Amino acid sequence: MKKLLLLLPLLALAGCEMGGYDEGTGEYSMLTGDFVEAHTNAECAVDYALTDGGDSLALTPAVSVSWAVRPDTMYRAVLHYDRSEGSSVRPRSLAAVPVLSVQPAVQLDSVQTDPVDLESAWLSASGRYLNMGLYLKTGEGDDDDAHHTVGMVCDSVTMSDSGVSTAHLRLYHDQGGVPEYYSSKTYVSIARRAIPADSVALTVNTYDGTVTRRFRLSEQ
């Protein structure tokens, strides 16, 4: 089977790595949060970010995170920050957002669809990404090698009478032996350029049954 994206048992990829924030009414409750493309400089530190809304934010100071390992590269992330002067911001947390590749279902030996909780699915304002907020059941068990496997498969691409093509995507999820003690939230994105169609029918197997969300993709 072709390799799909791996998420660690405790979803380290979705956690805050620097300056964690409080979602309540504490010191960090008034932060601004954005989905971004985060750029690394020659030292692999994130020096600026482009938000889904089209803003360019200069990070002061630049931030080094373990998952940004290549210089002059754009990474998908969630950035929480305080406004500073002009376009400069003070970063408080920067968390990686996995970008799922889209694999044709026929190329896989099997498609695992263990249930998840789907909180949200939306097309970014720029039209460059289709995003999902997921809750995966997780917990500590006896098997240290247990892990979730999450990916995206395309079952087919259909064409309407009006000439609109639709990619029928399905979330791949293998619980992988991870105990289902509690829910942990993560975000994933799919790049628009990876979807070979004008629209998407996205199907997710949830604990409440199968859910399908439909999106008309932008021209970008």
Side-chain angles (χ1 to χ4, degrees):
M1 185 179 75
K2 288 194 174 183
K3 185 179 180 182
L4 299 171
L5 181 92
L6 297 184
L7 296 184
L8 301 179
L10 296 183
L11 298 178
L13 286 176
C16 292
E17 185 166 336
M18 38 89 45
Y21 62 95
D22 181 357
E23 293 184 349
T25 57
E27 177 183 358
Y28 303 132
S29 62
M30 300 305 291
L31 294 181
T32 300
D34 280 306
F35 284 80
V36 301
E37 291 180 321
H39 174 267
T40 54
N41 60 22
E43 288 74 40
C44 297
V46 176
D47 56 354
Y48 73 85
L50 303 177
T51 74
D52 282 1
D55 293 330
S56 180
L57 306 175
L59 273 61
T60 306
V63 174
S64 294
V65 286
S66 62
W67 43 264
V69 296
R70 296 190 300 272
D72 194 24
T73 301
M74 296 298 249
Y75 288 90
R76 186 69 169 156
V78 175
L79 171 67
H80 285 84
Y81 58 91
D82 290 323
R83 283 282 181 184
S84 190
E85 294 183 4
S87 62
S88 294
V89 300
R90 178 187 178 190
R92 292 300 189 97
S93 70
L94 186 64
V97 174
V99 178
L100 305 182
S101 61
V102 178
Q103 300 283 356
V106 295
Q107 294 184 4
L108 304 179
D109 295 333
S110 63
V111 177
Q112 297 293 114
T113 56
D114 291 336
V116 301
D117 283 322
L118 176 64
E119 181 192 52
S120 56
W122 73 98
L123 189 66
S124 63
S126 65
R128 291 171 55 84
Y129 292 96
L130 180 60
N131 310 291
M132 288 187 292
L134 303 173
Y135 283 95
L136 305 185
K137 297 291 186 181
T138 189
E140 296 185 8
D142 297 330
D143 185 358
D144 293 337
D145 294 327
H147 58 259
H148 291 275
T149 303
V150 176
M152 188 62 60
V153 300
C154 181
D155 290 313
S156 64
V157 177
T158 59
M159 187 75 69
S160 70
D161 293 340
S162 61
V164 176
S165 58
T166 300
H168 298 266
L169 304 185
R170 187 161 35 132
L171 182 71
Y172 182 111
H173 175 231
D174 184 352
Q175 187 72 21
V178 177
E180 300 179 59
Y181 296 151
Y182 58 91
S183 294
S184 183
K185 186 175 181 178
T186 190
Y187 292 103
V188 296
S189 294
I190 307 103
R192 166 66 181 93
R193 62 179 178 272
I195 303 173
D198 305 312
S199 64
V200 167
L202 174 63
T203 298
V204 179
N205 183 32
T206 77
Y207 287 97
D208 295 322
T210 301
V211 174
T212 299
R213 302 285 177 84
R214 298 180 181 275
F215 301 90
R216 181 65 186 264
L217 303 177
S218 75
E219 299 300 325
Q220 300 185 32

